Amino acid sequence: MDERRKPLIAGNWKMNLDLAGAVSLAREVLLRTASFGSVDVCVLPPFPLIQAVAGVLDGSAVGFGGQDLSKEDEGAYTGDVSAKMLLSLGCQYVCIGHSERREFHLETDESVRLKTGRALTAGLVPIVCVGERLAERDSGDTFMRVERQVTVGMGGLSPDELARVVVAYEPVWAIGTGRTATPAQAQEVHEYIRKLLSRMAGDVIALRMRILYGGSVKPGNARELLAQKDVDGALVGGASLSAESFAGIVECAG
Ligand code: PGA
């Protein structure tokens, strides 16, 4: 990882935990990660649990945010959650275009683009997820897929807006499967993404932007992944549900 970029370790809790479980996990994460000042840390609880987590983390070094947001501002959109709502709970971050949203909610690069715009307008830091499926990797289409996700999903943003975006590269075949990309496979795609960002926002901004790796990151493989030049942190699913393993990953980034 480049010295100029402060690593970010984000815990994606997905659809896990309940109120009591979320509060106790947030407390433990805070306790165990408070001493790592050289790393940005955040957690992404399910929507109904954000307010309780905010009660624990507000004003602390551990940030928090949503796992998704609506592309609309407000109105008759049953089940959706707006940027304004997240902001009013104290959220700083929001995950956008996670592969599970793309797969189960048919999200497209175009909806990712609209949501990213919403997040930026509200002052939230979007963590925009990209990554190829196994069939795309096997057929040699990884770069083509990722290029489309980056250029369309973050299309039309000004260089200043892009500078506030965090990109997360998550090969779909590595998510929740225990199968991690090798550090070299991750670095190769991260470097490619940074080249795309350079083309979109210029070298100076692209060099400042953080590109996280996600997909079965654990304390045992985090150090090697995070040691790659263009890997600036991690988006952690399963291992973020244990404060001990999540803190172990944060430690690897410090
Ligand atoms: P995982 O999930 O760490 O459980 O593979 C990562 C993610 O989906 O963000």
Side-chain angles (χ1 to χ4, degrees):
M1 167 175 26
D2 193 295
E3 244 95 279
R4 285 164 289 196
R5 300 185 290 267
K6 188 173 183 183
L8 170 64
I9 305 295
N12 176 8
W13 293 358
K14 307 194 179 184
M15 197 177 73
N16 293 294
L17 303 163
D18 58 10
L19 184 58
V23 168
S24 87
L25 180 57
R27 284 202 184 114
E28 239 200 295
V29 165
L30 182 57
L31 271 176
R32 287 177 184 263
T33 63
S35 57
F36 299 107
S38 58
V39 184
D40 283 338
V41 178
C42 76
V43 296
L44 309 172
F47 290 136
L49 309 180
I50 293 179
Q51 189 172 12
V53 168
V56 177
L57 299 180
D58 225 352
S60 80
V62 178
F64 54 93
Q67 297 173 11
D68 180 40
L69 86 171
S70 172
K71 62 185 188 329
E72 308 296 340
D73 188 29
E74 64 179 359
Y77 302 100
T78 303
D80 286 348
V81 166
S82 72
K84 216 187 298 179
M85 292 170 191
L86 293 176
L87 207 61
S88 70
L89 294 171
C91 290
Q92 302 96 354
Y93 297 91
V94 62
C95 182
I96 296 174
H98 189 280
S99 65
E100 286 148 19
R101 302 291 314 172
R102 293 178 190 259
E103 185 174 349
F104 304 127
H105 296 269
L106 309 180
E107 296 212 4
T108 61
D109 295 329
E110 178 59 14
S111 68
V112 168
R113 186 180 72 77
L114 296 169
K115 290 179 175 198
T116 303
R118 275 284 171 227
L120 287 168
T121 305
L124 294 164
V125 174
I127 302 175
V128 179
C129 301
V130 301
E132 81 287 2
R133 295 157 178 272
L134 185 58
E136 289 161 340
R137 173 152 290 262
D138 288 345
S139 59
D141 291 332
T142 297
F143 293 107
M144 202 178 72
R145 176 75 179 128
V146 168
E147 173 165 356
R148 198 185 143 73
Q149 289 173 322
V150 170
T151 55
V152 178
M154 287 165 252
L157 298 178
S158 70
D160 284 350
E161 287 172 322
L162 263 174
R164 287 157 48 211
V165 174
V166 172
V167 182
Y169 169 59
E170 300 202 302
V172 179
W173 47 271
I175 296 177
T177 58
R179 197 177 149 192
T180 324
T182 64
Q185 282 175 323
Q187 169 56 27
E188 187 185 30
V189 180
H190 281 233
E191 190 180 336
Y192 182 71
I193 292 172
R194 201 174 305 283
K195 277 203 195 112
L196 295 172
L197 297 172
S198 283
R199 218 165 67 194
M200 295 162 77
D203 290 348
V204 175
I205 286 174
L207 276 173
R208 270 198 252 127
M209 290 177 68
R210 292 184 288 197
I211 307 173
L212 315 184
Y213 170 79
S216 300
V217 178
K218 301 176 206 70
N221 59 26
R223 198 173 298 280
E224 238 196 313
L225 286 160
L226 292 164
Q228 303 303 305
K229 185 167 146 287
D230 290 292
V231 177
D232 309 311
L235 182 53
V236 185
S240 73
L241 295 172
S242 145
E244 188 183 355
S245 58
F246 188 58
I249 294 166
V250 174
E251 193 182 338
C252 292

